[in-house]
Amino acid sequence: MNRKILIVDDDENILVLYSRALQKHNYETATLTSTEYLLDIVKEDKPDLIIMDIWIPVIGGEAAAELLKNDLDTFEIPIIFASSNADTDVIAFKVGVEGFLNKPFESKELVNKIEEILDAKMFTRV
């Protein structure tokens, strides 16, 4: 079974770029352009990992990640911030997400970060 990755970014081009790169590595992808229904969708679809920009509508990636990390149904889902924000690393640490990448980055970096986080998650469950 392919692992499911949810990508949240307000830039449609980024969504297509990430989706194509991840699908080449046998990941199933879903996309959102805002955080409006994020919590409901995550609870329903149960992705294995979320990639999220910090600067996205409605409540922004930082607040959305805090909601996910404070919800009993979603707190274990790893989140990677992918943003051009200069403070991505600081925000990622503050919110407690599992990783971050500063835009722009190569698709290989994204795949490597995802595999690192998912492998670590599998290891901790054994």
Side-chain angles (χ1 to χ4, degrees):
M1 185 169 91
N2 293 344
R3 289 177 164 173
K4 189 185 314 181
I5 309 293
L6 175 62
I7 308 163
V8 187
D9 198 298
D10 61 340
D11 185 331
E12 298 271 348
N13 293 323
I14 293 289
L15 295 175
V16 170
L17 182 69
Y18 292 179
S19 289
R20 286 183 182 163
L22 295 175
Q23 289 165 1
K24 286 180 184 177
H25 292 279
N26 298 316
Y27 289 104
E28 180 183 332
T29 61
T31 61
L32 289 173
T33 56
S34 79
T35 58
E36 187 171 4
Y37 302 107
L38 178 65
L39 189 59
D40 294 332
I41 289 170
V42 170
K43 284 182 176 187
E44 183 178 319
D45 292 348
K46 300 286 188 202
D48 294 293
L49 184 137
I50 300 167
I51 301 166
M52 187 165 24
D53 193 357
I54 292 173
W55 300 108
I56 51 175
V58 170
I59 63 169
E62 181 178 353
E66 287 176 339
L67 280 175
L68 292 167
K69 291 300 180 187
N70 289 315
D71 189 289
L72 290 176
D73 294 327
T74 61
F75 76 96
E76 288 185 321
I77 299 171
I79 299 172
I80 297 173
F81 279 151
S83 184
S84 57
N85 184 320
D87 294 327
T88 301
D89 56 341
V90 174
I91 295 168
F93 180 75
K94 176 183 157 197
V95 175
V97 301
E98 287 72 14
F100 69 91
L101 290 167
N102 289 310
K103 291 180 185 175
F105 51 82
E106 299 291 324
S107 61
K108 183 178 180 178
E109 290 177 80
L110 178 60
V111 170
N112 288 343
K113 180 63 76 175
I114 290 169
E115 290 177 356
E116 171 189 315
I117 290 169
L118 290 178
D119 289 347
K121 182 179 176 186
M122 291 299 289
F123 181 72
T124 59
R125 287 189 170 190
V126 174

